[in-house]
Amino acid sequence: MFHGREYIMEEAITGDFSIVKAYKADKLGNLIFRKSARNFNPAVCKAGKINIVEVEEIVEVGQLDPECIHVPGIYVHRLIKGAKYEKRIEKITLKKQAKTGLPTDLDEITRERIIRRAAKEFRDGMYANLGIGIPMLASNYIPDGMKVHLQSENGILGLGSYPEKDQVDPDLINAGKQTVTVVPGASYFSSDDSFAMIRGGHIQV
């Protein structure tokens, strides 16, 4: 019972093995992730009895700044530098040139109505999570002079537009697995921090 409401208490999930990809590690297993690639990885590291981590680079102990370490080595049991470390992008999504005129296709008209309606919920200075799919496009209709801080639940606050072709970064994607950019003042964090923002009432939409 919390604040007069009943809840079901469940045990935390624990796996025999956790398999994680990180950006860089030292030989003690201290880990660093890049940008939105952190997502649920820190939580997964802590949930497995044996944690196996593949990294792009392994450096000597002392070469990582302690302030920059996202997961301490105590959670890492096996460390691998793969011979062929791949970074796959499921949905390469690029910034499109602005269309002129109004849509004429019925599906396009309906789509634009939904997007414009979602955009009417924006207020200056608010924090908003647009989920995935069509609502994400509402960010294109933020009025000039209005500041809206967009959050993506995989660990981005300060979401920007889709990137140009030369800006695509496999470590910078949104919750819909699309490539994105960030705006000045953005920050990256883990998915559990992201949901703490949402459940704590810090995100208005």
Side-chain angles (χ1 to χ4, degrees):
M1 181 80 72
F2 294 97
H3 303 293
R5 297 182 64 181
E6 292 185 354
Y7 293 84
I8 296 174
M9 184 173 179
E10 296 185 5
E11 294 184 8
I13 298 172
T14 301
D16 290 329
F17 296 92
S18 295
I19 300 174
V20 167
K21 275 194 172 186
Y23 166 54
K24 188 182 290 188
D26 65 17
K27 291 184 177 179
L28 284 178
N30 294 309
L31 304 178
I32 292 177
F33 298 93
R34 285 191 74 244
K35 302 182 179 180
S36 64
R38 198 180 319 179
N39 52 68
F40 275 113
N41 279 313
V44 170
C45 283
K46 299 167 187 176
K49 295 176 183 176
I50 296 177
N51 186 24
I52 303 168
V53 181
E54 181 184 13
V55 295
E56 296 179 50
E57 183 181 357
I58 300 175
V59 301
E60 294 296 330
V61 174
Q63 287 188 253
L64 299 182
D65 184 341
E67 289 194 59
C68 296
I69 291 169
H70 299 129
V71 175
I74 193 169
Y75 293 111
V76 177
H77 304 94
R78 304 286 188 275
L79 194 58
I80 301 166
K81 182 176 183 294
K84 188 180 180 183
Y85 189 100
E86 290 186 67
K87 287 188 176 181
R88 299 176 185 175
I89 303 175
E90 292 190 36
K91 297 179 183 177
I92 296 178
T93 311
L94 303 176
K95 179 184 278 187
K96 296 179 181 178
Q97 297 297 321
K99 295 180 181 179
T100 57
L102 295 172
T104 55
D105 178 79
L106 181 59
D107 288 342
E108 282 294 319
I109 292 171
T110 303
R111 180 184 176 90
E112 181 153 324
R113 284 183 65 187
I114 294 170
I115 295 168
R116 287 182 179 275
R117 176 61 188 87
K120 288 183 180 294
E121 298 297 318
F122 293 141
R123 299 291 182 271
D124 191 40
M126 80 181 327
Y127 291 88
N129 179 303
L130 300 180
I132 60 176
I134 289 177
M136 270 296 302
L137 301 175
S139 60
N140 296 324
Y141 294 91
I142 297 173
D144 291 339
M146 181 183 288
K147 180 67 174 177
V148 178
H149 307 276
L150 299 179
Q151 191 241 34
S152 183
E153 60 258 37
N154 62 318
I156 304 171
L157 186 60
L159 201 59
S161 63
Y162 295 129
E164 303 285 356
K165 189 174 183 179
D166 61 353
Q167 294 178 306
V168 170
D169 185 337
D171 286 328
L172 186 50
I173 61 171
N174 65 18
K177 301 183 180 179
Q178 299 168 309
T179 48
V180 292
T181 61
V182 294
V183 298
S187 58
Y188 304 111
F189 37 87
S190 62
S191 293
D192 44 343
D193 284 328
S194 177
F195 284 101
M197 295 174 191
I198 296 168
R199 291 171 181 164
H202 304 285
I203 306 295
Q204 283 81 46
V205 171

